[in-house]
Amino acid sequence: MTELESFRQEARDWLEANCPETMRHPYRSEADPCWGGRNCKFQSEDQRLWLQRMSEKGWTVPTWATEYGGGGLNREQNKILKEELGRIHARPALESFGISMLGPALLKFGSEELKKQHLPAIARGHIRWAQGYSEPNAGSDLASLQARADDHGDHFILNGSKVWTSYGDLGDWMFCLVRTEFEASKHEGISFVLFDMATPGVSTRPIKLISGKSPFTETIFEDVRIEKDQVIGELNRGWTVAKYLLTHEREMIAGSGLLRAGTVPISKTAIHTLGTENGMLHNTMLRGDIAQFEIDTRCLELTIERARDEVKAGVSLGAASSMFKYYGTELNKRRNELLMAIGGNESLVWEGSDSQDGQLPKSWLRSKGNSIEGGTSEIQLNIVAKHILGLPG
Ligand SMILES: Cc1cc2nc3c(=O)[nH]c(=O)nc-3n(C[C@H](O)[C@H](O)[C@H](O)COP(=O)(O)OP(=O)(O)OC[C@H]3O[C@@H](n4cnc5c(N)ncnc54)[C@H](O)[C@@H]3O)c2cc1C
């Protein structure tokens, strides 16, 4: 047996023994993912156990070093682990902006003290992170941000506001872009800071979404104290950290269009809902659209896989994350359109048992935001045009 084969066997045995039966099903509603955090309310004992076991094993962040709470796996082992998780349809034990966004930035730019302070807590799901980037007048043009942190010796005092903070009311800590130098050009003078959202002076106001939910907040800062040792990277050079984090955010959002362990393939949903004639869906147009969607999804998966191999070989992902973000979010919108078509009249039911409390139309409406969050499609296309195709700006 090769080393990788024995790793596969080990992972399979461990997952068989440790993944609770109820965690081996796709998410059924938006409430199913576990986001951890200080105020986490587990939906079931199995959900709590699954997070505890996975984090003790280091497999909530399989490729991080063990000293930071990771599993210390290499890329091949991680790929095998993903396949084994997929084989039993295991749900992710933890969804987390800490894992997908802040973690990579901390690993690259954080001091050893900051890594030791924050990474293990992210890996265990103890702290839930919120992202403080956008402001009322700084979205696509993010570098125009105005939240100002004034120097008070060993700390800063922050005033200003952020907007569209996803789950701002549920966040424990925030990673935030603030202006620390006021005379410099707009990309300079920005710092990347971390602070506890329970600090006096931080407040949030809900913003209602088209789906009727309120997963967003406005976040207001009034004389908030930020310790100077919570600056990531160099003071006034936070733009570099911010851009690096965005490439990871975009890669994460691109994944929303892909088939993850927690979702059922569209073709299976269609067969289950509509039935077949001679082993095929009756509606030929829908059949064609689903086939094309599944082919395109596979192509994106393979292209992302190839890009990851290139990253391993030392090529920077850079602007390619914009290409993936653009295409992945368009795919996710198509996936939701197809699910609406498959559901027929049932797709229009906003509340009720069969539609799982309007999960289908709410998820369809939510998918519209995919091509805005993390930078709009227009902005991604601008980046692709300039940095990949080399077209004039
Ligand atoms: C679901 C969701 C979750 C989000 N979560 C967070 C979060 O947690 N934290 C956070 O900080 N922010 C978050 N955001 C905010 C998001 O990052 C911004 O909405 C986004 O960057 C766009 O900024 P804006 O809304 O100010 O739009 P604007 O920048 O005002 O853009 C308006 C329109 O103009 C177009 N446009 C702007 N500039 C150009 C240009 N140069 N070329 C071509 N077209 C252009 C845009 O594409 C868009 O269509 C979230 C947004 C959504 C939808």
Side-chain angles (χ1 to χ4, degrees):
M1 224 188 226
T2 66
E3 246 176 65
L4 283 180
E5 281 165 353
S6 55
F7 175 76
R8 183 182 294 282
Q9 192 57 53
E10 202 187 297
R12 188 170 291 188
D13 293 346
W14 189 88
L15 290 173
E16 279 305 338
N18 289 285
C19 182
E21 189 50 46
T22 57
M23 295 293 106
R24 301 185 189 198
H25 299 281
Y27 292 145
R28 292 201 174 86
S29 85
E30 277 177 26
D32 281 346
C34 172
W35 289 88
R38 289 197 288 237
N39 302 312
C40 172
K41 291 189 184 68
F42 291 104
Q43 279 206 318
S44 64
E45 177 57 14
D46 279 354
Q47 191 187 51
R48 191 194 64 74
L49 258 183
W50 182 221
L51 173 58
Q52 183 189 324
R53 289 172 178 167
M54 283 290 273
S55 59
E56 279 171 5
K57 186 83 177 157
W59 283 0
T60 50
V61 280
T63 58
W64 290 9
T66 49
E67 75 220 77
Y68 303 138
L73 302 190
N74 62 33
R75 201 175 122 67
E76 285 78 17
Q77 289 170 323
N78 189 32
K79 206 168 153 192
I80 288 174
L81 176 60
K82 276 191 194 157
E83 285 166 8
E84 290 303 313
L85 285 161
R87 196 183 67 84
I88 59 167
H89 307 293
R91 289 178 184 183
L94 180 64
E95 303 278 356
S96 153
F97 294 164
I99 293 176
S100 52
M101 294 197 250
L102 178 61
L106 260 173
L107 283 165
K108 189 168 169 73
F109 297 99
S111 64
E112 202 46 40
E113 290 74 32
L114 283 173
K115 286 182 193 169
K116 292 227 166 86
Q117 179 184 355
H118 294 297
L119 291 174
I122 291 174
R124 287 194 296 268
H126 287 174
I127 295 294
R128 185 166 179 175
W129 287 85
Q131 179 185 33
Y133 270 34
S134 308
E135 294 182 8
N137 292 313
S140 300
D141 185 14
L142 184 59
S144 296
L145 63 96
Q146 294 298 322
R148 63 178 289 148
D150 290 286
D151 194 331
H152 282 244
D154 62 345
H155 66 279
F156 296 106
I157 292 291
L158 173 63
N159 281 286
S161 69
K162 296 285 169 182
V163 74
W164 316 125
T165 317
S166 295
Y167 310 110
D169 52 336
L170 300 174
D172 300 315
W173 276 63
M174 174 172 268
F175 53 91
C176 190
L177 295 178
V178 298
R179 195 160 288 286
T180 39
E181 162 66 58
F182 311 101
E183 306 306 324
S185 70
K186 68 177 181 180
H187 290 92
E188 286 160 15
I190 292 173
S191 297
F192 190 110
V193 297
L194 311 178
F195 55 88
D196 191 327
M197 291 184 77
T199 310
V202 181
S203 60
T204 60
R205 277 202 289 258
I207 304 174
K208 221 173 195 179
L209 207 61
I210 193 172
S211 63
K213 296 229 167 103
S214 186
F216 279 141
T217 66
E218 227 181 312
T219 308
I220 297 114
F221 311 122
E222 288 164 308
D223 292 335
V224 177
R225 181 183 169 117
I226 300 175
E227 301 305 329
K228 277 203 174 156
D229 63 4
Q230 296 297 321
V231 175
I232 306 240
E234 277 182 61
L235 189 66
N236 298 327
R237 297 282 173 275
W239 188 244
T240 311
V241 186
K243 277 196 303 183
Y244 181 76
L245 184 143
L246 275 175
T247 62
H248 285 272
E249 180 178 6
R250 287 170 184 165
E251 204 190 333
M252 170 193 76
I253 299 171
S256 61
L258 300 177
L259 182 63
R260 303 196 312 156
T263 51
V264 179
I266 295 265
S267 47
K268 279 204 178 149
T269 307
I271 289 167
H272 177 76
T273 312
L274 303 172
T276 55
E277 267 179 32
N278 303 322
M280 289 191 285
L281 286 175
H282 176 63
N283 182 331
T284 48
M285 285 214 356
L286 186 60
R287 199 164 76 211
D289 287 347
I290 291 174
Q292 192 59 56
F293 171 81
E294 294 198 337
I295 292 166
D296 293 346
T297 304
R298 188 72 187 125
C299 288
L300 178 64
E301 270 169 0
L302 292 172
T303 312
I304 291 181
E305 202 56 42
R306 195 188 68 221
R308 286 194 179 135
D309 280 337
E310 287 171 2
V311 168
K312 200 181 153 215
V315 179
S316 148
L317 183 61
S321 65
S322 292
M323 189 170 79
F324 299 143
K325 200 264 169 182
Y326 173 75
Y327 200 73
T329 54
E330 291 304 324
L331 267 183
N332 199 39
K333 289 203 281 188
R334 265 166 71 193
R335 187 165 75 87
N336 277 277
E337 294 287 346
L338 285 169
L339 285 171
M340 291 293 280
I342 292 165
N345 289 348
E346 190 62 33
S347 312
L348 302 176
V349 179
W350 196 249
E351 279 165 5
S353 56
D354 282 354
S355 63
Q356 294 169 13
D357 270 348
Q359 189 57 40
L360 203 54
K362 284 174 189 157
S363 156
W364 171 68
L365 288 169
R366 172 63 184 84
S367 70
K368 307 289 176 200
N370 287 158
S371 45
I372 302 173
E373 61 196 305
T376 65
S377 282
E378 289 77 16
I379 296 300
Q380 306 317 310
L381 290 173
N382 282 349
I383 295 173
V384 169
K386 195 166 165 196
H387 297 287
I388 298 182
L389 302 176
L391 298 173

